[in-house]
Every structure is written in C-alpha cells, then in structure tokens.
Amino acid sequence: EAQVTQNPRYLITVTGKKLTVTCSQNMNHEYMSWYRQDPGLGLRQIYYSMNVEVTDKGDVPEGYKVSRKEKRNFPLILESPSPNQTSLYFCASSSTVNEQFFGPGTRLTVL
Amino acid sequence: SQQGEEDPQALSIQEGENATMNCSYKTSINNLQWYRQNSGRGLVHLILIRSNEREKHSGRLRVTLDTSKKSSSLLITASRAADTASYFCATDGAAGNKLTFGGGTRVLVKP
C-alpha cells in the first residue's frame, strides 16, 4: 500500500531535549516536505527536499533541521525544542511539488 | 504571509445542498490545488488546475480558476455528511518548487 508514515504519532517532551520525527515513503517520490499546522495559521512549510541530498528552507525553518540521505526518508530534527514548537506536524511526498501525499501527522507538545 | 486565502472560513449546509468556497492568491502560479483534511488527519489531494485552465471537474467537484483576479473556487455539489472536513487551496508559485497553503474553509454538512 502506497503510504507516508510518521513516527511518533504523539510526543510530549520538555524544553531543550533533542528529538527526531521520522518520515518514510514507499512510493519512490523525489519530493518530500515538512509542514506544521497551527490553529488560525493553516499549514506552513518548514523544509522541503527535491531529491537526495537536496534540501531547502520553507517559510518557517527556524529551530528545525532536516536531512535527506536516502530517497525514502526525510527526518525532522528539533535540536532544542521550545514551547512555541508545540504543533501538529505533517510530512508529505510527491513525484513533483504537486499532488502531495500526506502522512497521518505527529502531534508534538513541548513543555 | 499566506499565498492563498480561503473564504469563507466556515460553512454550514444541509446534506444535498451545494458548497462553494473561494481562494485568493497573490503571485503568479503554475498550478492551484485543492486538498481536504478530515479532523486532525493528513491532507488528501482532491484536484489540480493548471494556470492555463479555467475549469475542471472531478466527480462532484468543480474547480474554476481566474488568473486575472488571482482567485479560484471549489464547488461541491449534492453534499454528503462525509464531505464534512476542512478544505485548503495550495499554490506552487512561479518557481514551482514548493506549495503554499491557505488557511482553509471548514465545511459542516448536516444530515
């Protein structure tokens, strides 16, 4: 089954404790992206990747890192999480930038 | 700032009625897409319309695009309770390397 998976689905952590949210897709897509969704602000893009070893900043990259060492994986790293990073995070993939397939989401709470 | 802005922010209709929502954007685009999100879940791609197209249909969905007004509309005909969701427009921008989402329209279809 074609899908985008994210782990963990739910995470409660404390300020400053490094964490990684994994994202994996099985559709051989070149394009992958991370978004955060906050009430009243819609979806905002954090980082995107056009292919392996090619990443670029989205609209809200501060406080986040990504890597794309393999085509199927695109982890999101929060080196020192802060409460303003409490949000619902989505990973997405597609062959081009269009018609993106979204993962189920990761709900992150930073205390 | 968001590229796409949906209007209205919320819409409540009876089953069987039509639902119309609008999206305005600010800069030139290659494509405009519509996505649906059921509560707290990942977005699902509905339909894509290219900048040189004016209207597109997919099942009960009808999308129009007016590039001179930088606006698009999504019409859902003969709505069903299962259409209850948030609907987002997304534009790719002239560079075509990332999507920018609007704030979404919440649609409630009452049985």
Side-chain angles (χ1 to χ4, degrees), chain A residues 6 11 16 30 45 63 67 75 78 85 101:
Chain A
Q6 294 179 228
L11 179 60
E30 283 77 23
Q45 190 177 51
S67 67
L78 285 71
Q85 293 178 298
F101 286 80

mmCIF file of all heavy atoms in Angstrom, chain A residues 6 11 16 30 45 63 67 75 78 85 101:
data_model
loop_
_atom_site.group_PDB
_atom_site.id
_atom_site.type_symbol
_atom_site.label_atom_id
_atom_site.label_comp_id
_atom_site.label_asym_id
_atom_site.label_seq_id
_atom_site.Cartn_x
_atom_site.Cartn_y
_atom_site.Cartn_z
ATOM 1 N N GLN A 6 4.786 8.336 9.594
ATOM 2 C CA GLN A 6 5.479 9.236 10.517
ATOM 3 C C GLN A 6 5.539 8.581 11.891
ATOM 4 O O GLN A 6 4.571 7.944 12.316
ATOM 5 C CB GLN A 6 4.723 10.564 10.670
ATOM 6 C CG GLN A 6 4.660 11.407 9.444
ATOM 7 C CD GLN A 6 3.872 12.696 9.667
ATOM 8 O OE1 GLN A 6 3.013 13.033 8.863
ATOM 9 N NE2 GLN A 6 4.160 13.416 10.745
ATOM 10 N N LEU A 11 3.833 12.921 20.826
ATOM 11 C CA LEU A 11 5.040 13.078 21.631
ATOM 12 C C LEU A 11 4.885 14.260 22.558
ATOM 13 O O LEU A 11 4.532 15.355 22.120
ATOM 14 C CB LEU A 11 6.258 13.277 20.726
ATOM 15 C CG LEU A 11 7.611 13.470 21.423
ATOM 16 C CD1 LEU A 11 7.947 12.255 22.273
ATOM 17 C CD2 LEU A 11 8.704 13.723 20.396
ATOM 18 N N GLY A 16 14.280 21.833 25.342
ATOM 19 C CA GLY A 16 15.700 21.572 25.220
ATOM 20 C C GLY A 16 16.100 20.132 24.961
ATOM 21 O O GLY A 16 17.275 19.862 24.679
ATOM 22 N N GLU A 30 10.486 11.762 -5.407
ATOM 23 C CA GLU A 30 11.655 12.634 -5.272
ATOM 24 C C GLU A 30 11.403 13.733 -4.234
ATOM 25 O O GLU A 30 12.285 14.109 -3.483
ATOM 26 C CB GLU A 30 12.000 13.284 -6.622
ATOM 27 C CG GLU A 30 12.697 12.381 -7.617
ATOM 28 C CD GLU A 30 11.748 11.416 -8.295
ATOM 29 O OE1 GLU A 30 10.535 11.705 -8.348
ATOM 30 O OE2 GLU A 30 12.211 10.365 -8.774
ATOM 31 N N GLN A 45 5.055 25.612 5.598
ATOM 32 C CA GLN A 45 6.126 24.707 5.219
ATOM 33 C C GLN A 45 7.392 25.001 6.007
ATOM 34 O O GLN A 45 7.812 26.158 6.119
ATOM 35 C CB GLN A 45 6.411 24.815 3.729
ATOM 36 C CG GLN A 45 7.341 23.743 3.203
ATOM 37 C CD GLN A 45 7.529 23.839 1.707
ATOM 38 O OE1 GLN A 45 7.835 24.903 1.182
ATOM 39 N NE2 GLN A 45 7.340 22.734 1.014
ATOM 40 N N GLY A 63 14.733 26.763 14.038
ATOM 41 C CA GLY A 63 14.584 25.785 15.110
ATOM 42 C C GLY A 63 14.480 24.353 14.628
ATOM 43 O O GLY A 63 14.346 23.438 15.449
ATOM 44 N N SER A 67 17.387 16.222 7.006
ATOM 45 C CA SER A 67 18.410 15.581 6.183
ATOM 46 C C SER A 67 17.711 14.668 5.183
ATOM 47 O O SER A 67 16.605 14.200 5.422
ATOM 48 C CB SER A 67 19.405 14.800 7.037
ATOM 49 O OG SER A 67 18.770 13.683 7.638
ATOM 50 N N PRO A 75 13.816 12.789 7.827
ATOM 51 C CA PRO A 75 13.569 13.085 9.235
ATOM 52 C C PRO A 75 13.607 14.579 9.555
ATOM 53 O O PRO A 75 14.363 15.337 8.936
ATOM 54 C CB PRO A 75 14.713 12.350 9.938
ATOM 55 C CG PRO A 75 15.803 12.273 8.908
ATOM 56 C CD PRO A 75 15.113 12.141 7.593
ATOM 57 N N LEU A 78 14.550 18.455 15.852
ATOM 58 C CA LEU A 78 14.458 19.635 16.700
ATOM 59 C C LEU A 78 15.594 19.526 17.705
ATOM 60 O O LEU A 78 15.547 18.712 18.627
ATOM 61 C CB LEU A 78 13.113 19.716 17.402
ATOM 62 C CG LEU A 78 11.906 20.138 16.555
ATOM 63 C CD1 LEU A 78 11.486 19.049 15.563
ATOM 64 C CD2 LEU A 78 10.743 20.535 17.458
ATOM 65 N N GLN A 85 7.163 25.446 19.559
ATOM 66 C CA GLN A 85 7.185 24.410 18.537
ATOM 67 C C GLN A 85 6.121 23.339 18.788
ATOM 68 O O GLN A 85 6.045 22.337 18.053
ATOM 69 C CB GLN A 85 8.575 23.785 18.423
ATOM 70 C CG GLN A 85 9.600 24.773 17.879
ATOM 71 C CD GLN A 85 10.999 24.199 17.805
ATOM 72 O OE1 GLN A 85 11.596 23.833 18.829
ATOM 73 N NE2 GLN A 85 11.538 24.116 16.589
ATOM 74 N N PHE A 101 1.231 13.553 -1.163
ATOM 75 C CA PHE A 101 0.646 12.553 -0.282
ATOM 76 C C PHE A 101 1.098 12.895 1.138
ATOM 77 O O PHE A 101 2.297 13.022 1.392
ATOM 78 C CB PHE A 101 1.151 11.147 -0.639
ATOM 79 C CG PHE A 101 0.556 10.587 -1.878
ATOM 80 C CD1 PHE A 101 1.034 10.967 -3.121
ATOM 81 C CD2 PHE A 101 -0.475 9.666 -1.816
ATOM 82 C CE1 PHE A 101 0.503 10.448 -4.290
ATOM 83 C CE2 PHE A 101 -1.016 9.138 -2.964
ATOM 84 C CZ PHE A 101 -0.534 9.523 -4.204
#
